[in-house]
Amino acid sequence: MKPRSAALLIVLAASALAGCAGSTTAVFDSLKYAVQRNSDLASVKLNPDFRYLRASIQGRTVLLVLGYVDQHPLGPVEVWYSAEREVLRLQNGRIVGATGLTTEWRNVQLSDSPRWASILAAAFHSIKRVRDIMPGYSYGVEDTLVARPSSPPSRNSLIGVDPSSLAWFEETIARTHRTGRPGPAFDSDAVSRFAVRIDGTQETVVYGEQCLSKEVCFAWQRWPVESLAGQSRSK
C-alpha cells in the first residue's frame, strides 16, 4: 500500500484552545489534518501561529502541537497533543505527564525544577519524583533523579541543529547508598538526555530523550528548526 502524501497540515482553532484546560475534547476535535506516519516532516508547511514538537515514539514519527500552558510553582507545564490522542506534559523539558501511550505517567510531582545553568555549574543536582504508572496500577512510585552536565551523545535524533551549540545534560535514577542518601552514582539503564539553548537568562530545552518504561522510549525536538531562535527570545 502506498503512503499518502506527507504534505498535510495540523490546524488548530484558536477559539477552541482558549477553553481546553478543562477539557481536551475541543483540542482533539480541532486537529483537522495529521502528518502521516513515517512522512518527511521537513517538507510539511506548518501554520506559524502554533508551536510544534517533532517526536519519535515507538517507531513512529509524529508531530505534536502545543494546546495550552498550565502555570505551576515550579515552572510552566506545556501540554502537547498528537492527532492520535497522545498527550505529553513537559515542564522545563522533563515529562510530568503522558497519556495515550502503552505506558502512561499520571500525577507526576517533582520536588524541584532547577535552572539548567545552575546544574551546569554544579557536579550534580538531585530531584525527587513521585508518579503513578499505568498499566499495572503502580501508585506513588518514588525516584531520586540525579542531573549532571554531559557531552553531546555520539548518537541522537537531533535534526538541523549543531549538537555542540547546545548545553547537554543527563538525568538518571540515583543508586541509593546504605545511608539512604543519593550520591553521584548513575543507573545506566535509565538515562534521560536534554539539550538546552542557554542565552543569558533565557533557557530553551530544544531536544530531549526519555523513557516511560523499558518498552516506551522516545525523542522529541522543538519544530521547525528555523523557529527555535524566535522561541528562545519569546520565552
Side-chain angles (χ1 to χ4, degrees), residues 107-190:
N107 302 319
V108 180
Q109 300 178 43
L110 301 176
S111 64
D112 192 10
S113 184
R115 293 185 59 82
W116 294 104
S118 67
I119 299 175
L120 191 63
F124 67 94
H125 191 102
S126 297
I127 302 169
K128 296 287 186 181
R129 180 179 67 192
V130 180
R131 68 195 192 282
D132 300 337
I133 303 174
M134 299 288 287
Y137 302 99
S138 299
Y139 295 103
V141 177
E142 297 185 13
D143 300 306
T144 297
L145 306 177
V146 179
R148 63 171 178 173
S150 69
S151 301
S154 57
R155 298 181 60 183
N156 60 73
S157 299
L158 189 65
I159 295 176
V161 180
D162 181 1
S164 64
S165 69
L166 304 172
W168 287 80
F169 302 86
E170 290 185 352
E171 199 163 84
T172 57
I173 297 177
R175 298 169 184 166
T176 301
H177 296 273
R178 291 184 180 180
T179 61
R181 297 179 180 177
F186 301 93
D187 180 356
S188 60
D189 293 332

Coordinates of all heavy atoms in Angstrom, one line a residue, residues 107-190:
N107 N -0.1 12.1 37.4 CA 0.1 12.8 38.7 C 1.6 12.8 39.1 O 2.0 12.5 40.2 CB -0.7 12.0 39.8 CG -2.2 11.9 39.6 OD1 -2.8 12.9 39.1 ND2 -2.7 10.7 39.8
V108 N 2.4 13.3 38.1 CA 3.8 13.4 38.4 C 4.1 14.6 39.2 O 3.6 15.7 38.9 CB 4.6 13.5 37.0 CG1 6.1 13.6 37.3 CG2 4.3 12.2 36.2
Q109 N 4.9 14.4 40.2 CA 5.3 15.6 41.1 C 6.8 15.6 41.3 O 7.4 14.5 41.6 CB 4.6 15.4 42.5 CG 3.1 15.4 42.5 CD 2.5 15.2 43.8 OE1 3.0 15.8 44.8 NE2 1.5 14.4 43.9
L110 N 7.4 16.7 41.1 CA 8.8 16.9 41.2 C 9.1 17.8 42.5 O 8.3 18.7 42.7 CB 9.4 17.6 40.0 CG 9.3 16.8 38.7 CD1 9.9 17.7 37.5 CD2 9.9 15.5 38.7
S111 N 10.1 17.5 43.2 CA 10.5 18.4 44.3 C 11.1 19.7 43.9 O 11.1 20.6 44.7 CB 11.4 17.6 45.3 OG 12.7 17.3 44.6
D112 N 11.7 19.7 42.7 CA 12.4 20.9 42.3 C 12.5 20.9 40.8 O 12.3 19.9 40.1 CB 13.8 20.8 42.9 CG 14.6 22.1 42.8 OD1 14.0 23.1 42.4 OD2 15.8 22.1 43.1
S113 N 12.7 22.1 40.3 CA 12.9 22.3 38.8 C 14.0 23.3 38.6 O 13.8 24.4 38.3 CB 11.6 22.7 38.1 OG 11.8 22.8 36.7
P114 N 15.3 22.9 38.9 CA 16.4 23.9 38.9 C 16.7 24.4 37.5 O 16.4 23.7 36.5 CB 17.5 23.0 39.4 CG 17.2 21.6 39.0 CD 15.7 21.5 39.2
R115 N 17.2 25.6 37.5 CA 17.6 26.1 36.2 C 18.8 25.3 35.6 O 19.6 24.8 36.4 CB 18.1 27.6 36.4 CG 17.0 28.5 36.7 CD 17.5 30.0 36.8 NE 18.0 30.4 35.5 CZ 17.3 30.8 34.4 NH1 16.0 30.9 34.5 NH2 17.9 31.2 33.3
W116 N 18.8 25.1 34.3 CA 19.8 24.3 33.7 C 21.2 24.9 33.9 O 22.2 24.2 34.1 CB 19.5 24.1 32.2 CG 18.3 23.3 32.0 CD1 17.0 23.8 31.6 CD2 18.1 21.9 32.2 NE1 16.1 22.7 31.5 CE2 16.8 21.6 31.9 CE3 19.0 20.9 32.5 CZ2 16.3 20.3 31.9 CZ3 18.5 19.6 32.6 CH2 17.2 19.3 32.3
A117 N 21.3 26.2 34.0 CA 22.5 26.9 34.2 C 23.1 26.5 35.5 O 24.3 26.4 35.7 CB 22.4 28.4 34.0
S118 N 22.2 26.4 36.5 CA 22.7 26.0 37.9 C 23.2 24.6 37.9 O 24.2 24.3 38.6 CB 21.6 26.2 38.9 OG 20.6 25.3 38.7
I119 N 22.6 23.7 37.1 CA 23.1 22.3 37.0 C 24.4 22.3 36.3 O 25.4 21.6 36.7 CB 22.1 21.4 36.3 CG1 20.8 21.4 37.1 CG2 22.6 20.0 36.1 CD1 19.7 20.6 36.4
L120 N 24.6 23.2 35.3 CA 25.8 23.2 34.5 C 27.0 23.6 35.4 O 28.1 23.2 35.2 CB 25.6 24.3 33.4 CG 26.7 24.3 32.3 CD1 26.8 23.0 31.5 CD2 26.4 25.5 31.3
A121 N 26.7 24.5 36.4 CA 27.8 24.9 37.3 C 28.1 24.0 38.4 O 29.0 24.2 39.2 CB 27.4 26.3 37.9
A122 N 27.2 23.0 38.6 CA 27.4 22.0 39.7 C 27.8 20.7 39.3 O 27.8 20.3 38.1 CB 26.1 21.9 40.5
A123 N 28.3 19.9 40.2 CA 28.7 18.5 39.8 C 27.5 17.6 39.6 O 27.5 16.8 38.6 CB 29.5 17.9 41.0
F124 N 26.5 17.8 40.4 CA 25.2 17.1 40.1 C 24.1 17.8 40.9 O 24.4 18.6 41.9 CB 25.3 15.6 40.4 CG 25.5 15.3 41.9 CD1 24.4 15.0 42.7 CD2 26.7 15.3 42.5 CE1 24.5 14.7 44.1 CE2 26.9 15.0 43.8 CZ 25.8 14.7 44.6
H125 N 22.8 17.5 40.6 CA 21.7 18.0 41.3 C 20.7 16.9 41.5 O 20.3 16.3 40.5 CB 21.1 19.2 40.6 CG 20.1 20.0 41.4 ND1 20.4 21.2 42.0 CD2 18.8 19.7 41.7 CE1 19.3 21.7 42.6 NE2 18.4 20.8 42.4
S126 N 20.1 16.8 42.7 CA 19.1 15.7 43.0 C 17.7 16.3 43.0 O 17.5 17.4 43.5 CB 19.5 15.0 44.3 OG 20.7 14.4 44.3
I127 N 16.8 15.5 42.4 CA 15.4 15.9 42.4 C 14.6 14.6 42.8 O 14.8 13.5 42.2 CB 15.0 16.3 41.0 CG1 15.9 17.5 40.5 CG2 13.5 16.7 40.9 CD1 15.7 17.8 39.0
K128 N 13.6 14.8 43.6 CA 12.7 13.8 44.0 C 11.5 13.8 43.0 O 11.0 14.8 42.6 CB 12.2 13.9 45.4 CG 13.2 13.9 46.5 CD 13.7 12.4 46.7 CE 14.6 12.3 47.9 NZ 15.1 10.9 48.1
R129 N 11.1 12.6 42.6 CA 10.0 12.5 41.7 C 9.0 11.4 42.2 O 9.4 10.3 42.6 CB 10.4 12.1 40.3 CG 9.3 12.0 39.3 CD 9.8 11.6 37.9 NE 10.4 10.3 37.8 CZ 11.2 9.8 36.9 NH1 11.4 10.6 35.8 NH2 11.7 8.6 36.9
V130 N 7.7 11.7 42.2 CA 6.7 10.8 42.5 C 5.7 10.7 41.4 O 5.3 11.8 40.8 CB 5.9 11.2 43.8 CG1 4.8 10.2 44.2 CG2 6.9 11.3 45.0
R131 N 5.3 9.5 41.0 CA 4.4 9.4 39.8 C 3.5 8.1 39.9 O 3.9 7.2 40.6 CB 5.1 9.4 38.5 CG 6.0 8.1 38.3 CD 7.0 8.4 37.2 NE 7.6 7.1 36.7 CZ 8.6 6.5 37.3 NH1 9.1 7.0 38.5 NH2 9.2 5.4 36.9
D132 N 2.4 8.1 39.2 CA 1.5 6.9 39.1 C 1.8 6.4 37.7 O 1.9 7.1 36.7 CB 0.1 7.3 39.2 CG -0.3 7.9 40.6 OD1 0.5 7.6 41.5 OD2 -1.3 8.6 40.7
I133 N 1.9 5.1 37.6 CA 2.2 4.4 36.3 C 1.1 3.5 35.9 O 0.6 2.7 36.7 CB 3.5 3.6 36.4 CG1 4.7 4.6 36.8 CG2 3.9 3.0 35.0 CD1 6.0 3.8 37.1
M134 N 0.7 3.6 34.7 CA -0.3 2.7 34.1 C 0.2 2.1 32.8 O 1.0 2.7 32.1 CB -1.6 3.5 33.8 CG -2.3 4.1 35.0 SD -3.1 2.9 36.0 CE -4.5 2.4 35.0
P135 N -0.2 0.8 32.5 CA -1.0 -0.1 33.3 C -0.2 -0.7 34.4 O 1.0 -0.4 34.6 CB -1.4 -1.2 32.2 CG -0.2 -1.2 31.3 CD 0.3 0.2 31.2
G136 N -0.9 -1.4 35.2 CA -0.3 -2.1 36.4 C -0.7 -1.4 37.7 O -0.3 -2.0 38.8
Y137 N -1.3 -0.3 37.7 CA -1.8 0.4 38.9 C -0.7 0.6 39.9 O -0.9 0.3 41.1 CB -3.0 -0.4 39.5 CG -4.1 -0.6 38.5 CD1 -4.2 -1.8 37.8 CD2 -5.1 0.4 38.3 CE1 -5.3 -2.0 36.9 CE2 -6.1 0.2 37.5 CZ -6.2 -1.0 36.7 OH -7.3 -1.2 35.9
S138 N 0.4 1.1 39.4 CA 1.5 1.4 40.3 C 1.4 2.9 40.8 O 1.6 3.8 40.0 CB 2.9 1.2 39.7 OG 3.0 -0.1 39.3
Y139 N 1.0 3.1 42.0 CA 0.7 4.4 42.5 C 1.8 4.9 43.5 O 2.4 4.1 44.2 CB -0.6 4.5 43.3 CG -1.8 4.2 42.4 CD1 -2.4 2.9 42.4 CD2 -2.2 5.2 41.5 CE1 -3.5 2.7 41.5 CE2 -3.3 4.9 40.6 CZ -3.9 3.6 40.7 OH -5.0 3.4 39.8
G140 N 2.2 6.2 43.4 CA 3.1 6.8 44.3 C 4.5 6.2 44.1 O 5.3 6.1 45.1
V141 N 4.9 5.9 42.9 CA 6.3 5.4 42.6 C 7.3 6.5 42.9 O 7.2 7.6 42.2 CB 6.4 4.8 41.2 CG1 7.9 4.4 40.9 CG2 5.4 3.7 41.0
E142 N 8.2 6.3 43.7 CA 9.2 7.4 44.1 C 10.6 7.1 43.5 O 11.1 6.0 43.5 CB 9.3 7.5 45.6 CG 8.0 7.9 46.3 CD 8.2 8.1 47.8 OE1 9.4 8.1 48.2 OE2 7.2 8.2 48.5
D143 N 11.2 8.2 43.0 CA 12.6 8.1 42.4 C 13.4 9.3 42.9 O 12.8 10.3 43.3 CB 12.6 8.1 40.9 CG 11.8 7.0 40.3 OD1 12.1 5.9 40.6 OD2 10.9 7.3 39.4
T144 N 14.7 9.1 43.0 CA 15.6 10.2 43.1 C 16.3 10.4 41.8 O 17.1 9.5 41.4 CB 16.6 10.0 44.3 OG1 15.8 9.9 45.5 CG2 17.5 11.2 44.4
L145 N 16.1 11.5 41.2 CA 16.8 11.7 39.9 C 18.1 12.5 40.2 O 18.1 13.4 41.1 CB 15.9 12.6 39.0 CG 14.5 12.0 38.7 CD1 13.7 13.0 37.8 CD2 14.6 10.6 38.0
V146 N 19.1 12.2 39.4 CA 20.4 13.0 39.6 C 20.7 13.5 38.2 O 20.9 12.8 37.2 CB 21.5 12.1 40.1 CG1 22.8 12.9 40.1 CG2 21.2 11.5 41.4
A147 N 20.7 14.9 38.1 CA 21.0 15.6 36.8 C 22.5 16.0 36.9 O 23.0 16.5 37.9 CB 20.1 16.7 36.7
R148 N 23.1 15.9 35.8 CA 24.5 16.4 35.7 C 24.8 16.9 34.2 O 24.2 16.4 33.3 CB 25.5 15.3 36.0 CG 25.4 14.1 35.1 CD 26.6 13.1 35.4 NE 26.5 11.9 34.5 CZ 27.4 11.0 34.4 NH1 28.5 11.1 35.2 NH2 27.2 10.0 33.6
P149 N 25.7 17.8 34.0 CA 26.1 18.2 32.7 C 26.8 17.0 32.0 O 27.4 16.1 32.6 CB 27.2 19.3 32.9 CG 26.9 19.7 34.3 CD 26.5 18.5 35.1
S150 N 26.7 17.0 30.7 CA 27.3 15.9 29.9 C 27.8 16.4 28.5 O 27.5 17.6 28.2 CB 26.3 14.7 29.7 OG 25.3 15.2 28.8
S151 N 28.5 15.6 27.8 CA 28.9 15.9 26.4 C 27.8 15.5 25.5 O 26.9 14.6 25.8 CB 30.2 15.2 26.1 OG 31.2 15.6 27.0
P152 N 27.7 16.0 24.3 CA 26.7 15.6 23.3 C 26.9 14.1 23.1 O 28.0 13.6 22.9 CB 27.0 16.4 22.1 CG 27.7 17.6 22.6 CD 28.5 17.2 23.8
P153 N 25.8 13.3 23.1 CA 26.0 11.8 22.8 C 26.4 11.6 21.4 O 26.1 12.4 20.5 CB 24.6 11.3 23.1 CG 23.7 12.4 22.9 CD 24.4 13.7 23.3
S154 N 27.1 10.5 21.2 CA 27.6 10.2 19.8 C 26.4 9.9 18.9 O 26.5 10.1 17.7 CB 28.5 9.0 19.9 OG 27.9 7.8 20.5
R155 N 25.3 9.4 19.4 CA 24.1 9.1 18.6 C 22.9 9.9 19.2 O 22.7 9.8 20.4 CB 23.8 7.6 18.6 CG 24.9 6.8 17.9 CD 24.6 5.3 17.9 NE 23.3 5.1 17.1 CZ 22.8 3.9 17.0 NH1 23.3 2.8 17.6 NH2 21.7 3.8 16.2
N156 N 22.2 10.6 18.4 CA 21.0 11.3 18.8 C 20.1 11.5 17.6 O 20.5 11.3 16.5 CB 21.3 12.6 19.6 CG 22.1 13.6 18.7 OD1 21.5 14.2 17.8 ND2 23.4 13.7 18.9
S157 N 18.9 12.0 17.9 CA 17.9 12.2 16.8 C 17.8 13.7 16.5 O 16.8 14.1 15.9 CB 16.6 11.6 17.2 OG 16.7 10.2 17.4
L158 N 18.7 14.6 16.9 CA 18.6 16.0 16.7 C 18.8 16.3 15.2 O 19.7 15.7 14.6 CB 19.7 16.7 17.5 CG 19.7 18.2 17.6 CD1 18.4 18.7 18.3 CD2 20.9 18.7 18.3
I159 N 17.9 17.1 14.7 CA 18.0 17.4 13.3 C 18.2 18.9 13.1 O 17.5 19.8 13.7 CB 16.6 17.0 12.6 CG1 16.5 15.5 12.6 CG2 16.6 17.5 11.1 CD1 15.2 15.0 12.1
G160 N 19.1 19.3 12.2 CA 19.2 20.7 11.8 C 19.9 21.6 12.8 O 19.9 22.8 12.6
V161 N 20.4 21.1 13.9 CA 21.0 21.9 14.9 C 22.3 21.3 15.3 O 22.4 20.1 15.5 CB 20.1 22.0 16.2 CG1 20.8 22.9 17.2 CG2 18.7 22.6 15.8
D162 N 23.4 22.1 15.4 CA 24.7 21.6 15.7 C 24.7 21.2 17.2 O 24.4 22.0 18.1 CB 25.7 22.7 15.5 CG 27.2 22.2 15.9 OD1 27.3 21.1 16.3 OD2 28.1 23.1 15.8
P163 N 24.9 19.9 17.5 CA 24.8 19.5 18.9 C 25.8 20.3 19.8 O 25.5 20.5 21.0 CB 25.2 18.0 18.9 CG 24.8 17.6 17.5 CD 25.1 18.8 16.6
S164 N 26.9 20.7 19.3 CA 27.9 21.4 20.1 C 27.5 22.8 20.4 O 28.1 23.4 21.3 CB 29.3 21.4 19.4 OG 29.2 22.1 18.2
S165 N 26.4 23.3 19.8 CA 25.9 24.6 20.1 C 25.0 24.7 21.3 O 24.6 25.7 21.7 CB 25.2 25.2 18.9 OG 24.0 24.5 18.7
L166 N 24.7 23.5 21.8 CA 23.7 23.4 23.0 C 24.5 22.8 24.2 O 25.5 22.2 24.1 CB 22.6 22.4 22.6 CG 21.8 22.8 21.3 CD1 20.8 21.7 21.0 CD2 21.1 24.1 21.5
A167 N 23.9 23.1 25.4 CA 24.4 22.5 26.6 C 23.6 21.2 26.8 O 22.4 21.2 26.8 CB 24.1 23.5 27.8
W168 N 24.4 20.1 27.1 CA 23.8 18.8 27.2 C 23.8 18.4 28.7 O 24.7 18.7 29.5 CB 24.5 17.8 26.4 CG 24.2 18.0 24.9 CD1 24.8 18.9 24.1 CD2 23.3 17.2 24.1 NE1 24.3 18.7 22.8 CE2 23.4 17.7 22.8 CE3 22.5 16.2 24.4 CZ2 22.6 17.2 21.8 CZ3 21.7 15.6 23.4 CH2 21.7 16.1 22.1
F169 N 22.7 17.6 29.0 CA 22.6 17.1 30.4 C 22.1 15.7 30.4 O 21.3 15.3 29.5 CB 21.6 18.0 31.2 CG 22.0 19.4 31.3 CD1 21.6 20.3 30.3 CD2 22.7 19.9 32.4 CE1 22.0 21.6 30.3 CE2 23.1 21.2 32.4 CZ 22.7 22.1 31.4
E170 N 22.5 14.9 31.4 CA 22.0 13.6 31.6 C 21.2 13.6 32.9 O 21.6 14.2 33.9 CB 23.1 12.5 31.7 CG 23.7 12.2 30.3 CD 24.8 11.1 30.4 OE1 25.0 10.6 31.6 OE2 25.3 10.7 29.4
E171 N 20.2 12.8 33.0 CA 19.4 12.7 34.2 C 19.1 11.2 34.4 O 18.5 10.5 33.6 CB 18.1 13.5 34.1 CG 17.5 13.8 35.5 CD 16.5 14.9 35.3 OE1 15.3 14.6 35.0 OE2 16.8 16.1 35.6
T172 N 19.5 10.7 35.6 CA 19.4 9.3 35.8 C 18.8 9.0 37.2 O 18.7 9.9 38.0 CB 20.8 8.6 35.8 OG1 21.6 9.3 36.8 CG2 21.5 8.7 34.4
I173 N 18.3 7.8 37.4 CA 17.8 7.4 38.7 C 19.0 7.0 39.6 O 19.8 6.2 39.2 CB 16.9 6.2 38.6 CG1 15.6 6.6 37.8 CG2 16.4 5.7 40.0 CD1 14.6 5.5 37.5
A174 N 19.1 7.7 40.7 CA 20.3 7.5 41.6 C 20.3 6.2 42.3 O 19.2 5.7 42.7 CB 20.3 8.6 42.7
R175 N 21.4 5.6 42.4 CA 21.5 4.4 43.3 C 21.5 4.9 44.7 O 22.1 5.9 45.1 CB 22.8 3.7 43.0 CG 22.9 3.1 41.6 CD 24.3 2.7 41.2 NE 24.4 2.2 39.9 CZ 25.6 2.0 39.2 NH1 26.7 2.2 39.9 NH2 25.6 1.7 38.0
T176 N 20.8 4.1 45.6 CA 20.7 4.5 47.0 C 21.8 3.9 47.8 O 21.9 2.6 47.8 CB 19.3 4.1 47.5 OG1 18.3 4.8 46.8 CG2 19.2 4.6 49.0
H177 N 22.6 4.6 48.5 CA 23.6 4.1 49.4 C 23.0 3.7 50.7 O 21.8 3.9 51.0 CB 24.7 5.2 49.6 CG 25.4 5.6 48.3 ND1 26.5 4.9 47.9 CD2 25.1 6.6 47.4 CE1 26.9 5.4 46.7 NE2 26.1 6.5 46.4
R178 N 23.8 3.0 51.5 CA 23.3 2.5 52.8 C 22.8 3.6 53.7 O 22.0 3.4 54.6 CB 24.3 1.6 53.5 CG 24.6 0.3 52.7 CD 25.6 -0.6 53.5 NE 25.9 -1.8 52.8 CZ 26.7 -2.7 53.2 NH1 27.3 -2.6 54.4 NH2 26.9 -3.9 52.6
T179 N 23.4 4.8 53.5 CA 22.9 5.9 54.3 C 21.6 6.4 53.9 O 20.9 7.2 54.6 CB 23.9 7.1 54.2 OG1 24.0 7.4 52.8 CG2 25.3 6.6 54.6
G180 N 21.1 5.9 52.8 CA 19.8 6.4 52.2 C 19.9 7.7 51.5 O 19.0 8.2 50.9
R181 N 21.1 8.2 51.4 CA 21.3 9.5 50.6 C 21.7 9.2 49.2 O 22.5 8.3 48.9 CB 22.4 10.3 51.3 CG 22.1 10.8 52.7 CD 23.2 11.6 53.3 NE 22.9 12.0 54.7 CZ 23.7 12.6 55.4 NH1 25.0 13.0 55.0 NH2 23.4 13.0 56.7
P182 N 21.1 10.0 48.2 CA 21.5 9.8 46.9 C 22.9 10.3 46.6 O 23.3 11.3 47.2 CB 20.5 10.6 46.1 CG 20.0 11.6 47.0 CD 20.1 11.0 48.4
G183 N 23.7 9.6 45.8 CA 25.1 10.1 45.5 C 25.3 10.2 44.1 O 24.4 9.9 43.3
P184 N 26.4 10.7 43.6 CA 26.7 10.8 42.2 C 27.0 9.5 41.5 O 28.0 9.4 40.8 CB 27.9 11.8 42.2 CG 28.6 11.5 43.5 CD 27.5 11.1 44.5
A185 N 26.2 8.5 41.7 CA 26.3 7.3 41.0 C 25.1 7.1 40.1 O 24.0 7.6 40.5 CB 26.4 6.1 42.0
F186 N 25.2 6.5 39.0 CA 24.2 6.6 38.0 C 23.8 5.2 37.5 O 24.6 4.3 37.3 CB 24.7 7.4 36.8 CG 25.0 8.8 37.3 CD1 26.3 9.2 37.6 CD2 24.0 9.8 37.4 CE1 26.6 10.4 38.0 CE2 24.4 11.1 37.8 CZ 25.7 11.4 38.2
D187 N 22.5 5.0 37.2 CA 21.9 3.8 36.7 C 21.9 4.0 35.2 O 21.1 4.7 34.6 CB 20.5 3.6 37.3 CG 19.9 2.3 36.7 OD1 20.5 1.7 35.9 OD2 18.8 2.0 37.2
S188 N 22.8 3.3 34.5 CA 22.9 3.5 33.0 C 21.7 3.0 32.3 O 21.5 3.2 31.1 CB 24.2 2.7 32.5 OG 24.1 1.4 32.8
D189 N 20.8 2.2 32.9 CA 19.6 1.7 32.3 C 18.5 2.7 32.2 O 17.4 2.4 31.7 CB 19.1 0.4 33.0 CG 20.1 -0.7 32.8 OD1 20.8 -0.8 31.8 OD2 20.2 -1.6 33.7
A190 N 18.6 3.8 32.9 CA 17.5 4.8 33.0 C 18.1 6.2 32.7 O 18.0 7.1 33.6 CB 16.9 4.7 34.3

